[in-house]
Amino acid sequence: MPGITLGDTVPNLEVATTHGKFKLHDYFADSWTVLFSHPGDFTPVCTTELGAMAKYAHEFDKRGVKLLGLSCDDVQSHKEWIKDIEAFAHGSKVKYPIIADPNKEIIPQLNMIDPIENGPSRALHIVGPDSKIKLSFLYPSTTGRNMDEVLRALDSLLMASKHNNKIATPVNWKPDEPVVISPAVSDEEAKKMFPQGFKTADLPSKKGYLRHTEAAIIPRSHTWLLPIYFVVSLGCYGLLMVGIGLMQFPTCPQEAVLLQKDIAEAKDFFKHKGVDVGSN
Ligand code: BEZ
């Protein structure tokens, strides 16, 4: 695949999008981005793919990851096409920007070309907050991508990055499954790094290189909500307690008068029966 690839910095192009003009590095700053290209507007496979991205948007949001589409037509055409995409996606909204590339000048610079067709492809780069490419897919225009696989690959990158690439994810890995420890990590280091322990596969070579450990992924963008959840829960608990407390007392003056009347009548009744009920 000629052109920019893993580890390369995406050129800081100024792009026209459905959300206005911006420089790519400004968009990439401070988060991961999934940048995905499409051959053209009002084409069947692309409509299904962009609709799926809209449906999956909450999954990317949960991980604090931005989406950025590109299609080889102009902004006005994109805006018209979005109406079809949203209708096809049963109302899921296309909230992410789509880059315009009507003259196919941007796709070669982003290495989003199909070398067989010498034309647009279904390329997808996962770009880190440092504007460097961390993963690339290159599909021909005849093959739609699998959004579950995009998400799975993204989770793998986030997991490895969270552990400074000292872990890797094995075949068909999913986020709640064990990961493997990098061969660059010794057993001694692994014991310190993974207090939960690890399991070494007993293989004929006895080289002990296949070690599994448990590691859970944390949806990053939602951790800041924890203090809010705590304060809201505390508030609800307080309100509940106040409510229960109020239920023990008369809630209006009329009720209080009725209660006092009941007590006085009860006292009279017991007095008649010769029972001493005291003065209070
Ligand atoms: C499509 O999106 O359906 C498509 C685009 C270009 C070539 C073939 C299919």
Side-chain angles (χ1 to χ4, degrees):
M1 185 153 114
I4 56 166
T5 185
L6 302 196
D8 290 341
T9 301
V10 176
N12 193 16
L13 307 174
E14 182 169 80
V15 288
T17 80
T18 47
H19 291 197
K21 275 189 185 172
F22 52 75
K23 290 203 124 191
L24 287 179
H25 288 197
D26 292 339
Y27 193 77
F28 298 151
D30 304 326
S31 78
W32 292 64
T33 303
V34 177
L35 167 63
F36 50 103
S37 70
H38 297 270
D41 296 1
F42 301 101
T43 52
V45 179
C46 300
T47 303
T48 63
E49 287 191 316
L50 281 147
M53 272 302 190
K55 276 190 189 154
Y56 276 65
H58 67 283
E59 288 294 343
F60 294 98
D61 282 350
K62 241 171 36 185
R63 291 158 175 80
V65 173
K66 291 180 199 155
L67 298 174
L68 179 56
L70 180 153
S71 181
C72 296
D73 281 292
D74 63 29
V75 168
Q76 194 46 44
S77 162
H78 289 355
K79 287 185 176 170
E80 286 300 313
W81 183 34
I82 284 172
K83 294 176 196 162
D84 282 4
I85 297 165
E86 290 178 346
F88 181 73
H90 301 291
S92 291
K93 297 283 170 210
V94 175
K95 291 191 183 137
Y96 51 85
I98 306 173
I99 300 173
D101 191 16
N103 302 319
K104 302 184 180 68
E105 287 161 348
I106 295 176
I107 45 167
Q109 298 183 70
L110 300 182
N111 196 12
M112 292 178 137
I113 290 277
D114 175 343
I116 301 169
E117 295 290 326
N118 195 26
S121 67
R122 297 183 197 285
L124 182 147
H125 298 311
I126 299 184
V127 182
D130 56 1
S131 298
K132 290 191 171 158
I133 298 182
K134 309 297 178 186
L135 179 146
S136 284
F137 292 156
L138 183 62
Y139 283 37
S141 54
T142 47
T143 304
R145 284 156 288 197
N146 181 323
M147 296 310 157
D148 286 325
E149 175 56 9
V150 174
L151 210 51
R152 196 197 70 86
L154 175 66
D155 279 338
S156 166
L157 287 171
L158 295 177
M159 177 66 88
S161 159
K162 191 175 132 205
H163 290 92
N164 299 320
N165 291 344
K166 304 271 177 163
I167 61 102
T169 63
V171 63
N172 296 341
W173 174 84
K174 301 239 179 63
D176 54 352
E177 293 174 359
V179 298
V180 295
I181 300 170
S182 158
V185 177
S186 69
D187 276 356
E188 282 62 42
E189 247 187 288
K191 276 179 203 155
K192 285 186 216 143
M193 285 183 65
F194 307 105
Q196 70 273 36
F198 57 89
K199 227 177 176 168
T200 306
D202 186 16
L203 300 175
S205 72
K206 304 287 175 209
K207 288 185 191 285
Y209 58 88
L210 181 47
R211 297 165 296 175
H212 285 91
T213 187
E214 300 288 339
I217 198 154
I218 304 165
R220 297 162 185 224
S221 69
H222 282 194
T223 48
W224 62 270
L225 284 172
L226 289 176
I228 295 174
Y229 288 149
F230 180 73
V231 170
V232 169
S233 308
L234 213 62
C236 288
Y237 180 76
L239 282 175
L240 189 70
M241 288 297 112
V242 169
I244 289 171
L246 283 175
M247 280 160 65
Q248 313 295 319
F249 295 101
T251 52
C252 61
Q254 289 93 327
E255 247 181 78
V257 169
L258 282 175
L259 202 62
Q260 277 175 354
K261 230 172 110 199
D262 284 347
I263 294 167
E265 277 174 9
K267 275 184 181 172
D268 280 349
F269 174 80
F270 283 112
K271 242 187 219 169
H272 275 289
K273 297 275 168 199
V275 180
D276 183 15
V277 286
S279 57
N280 287 331

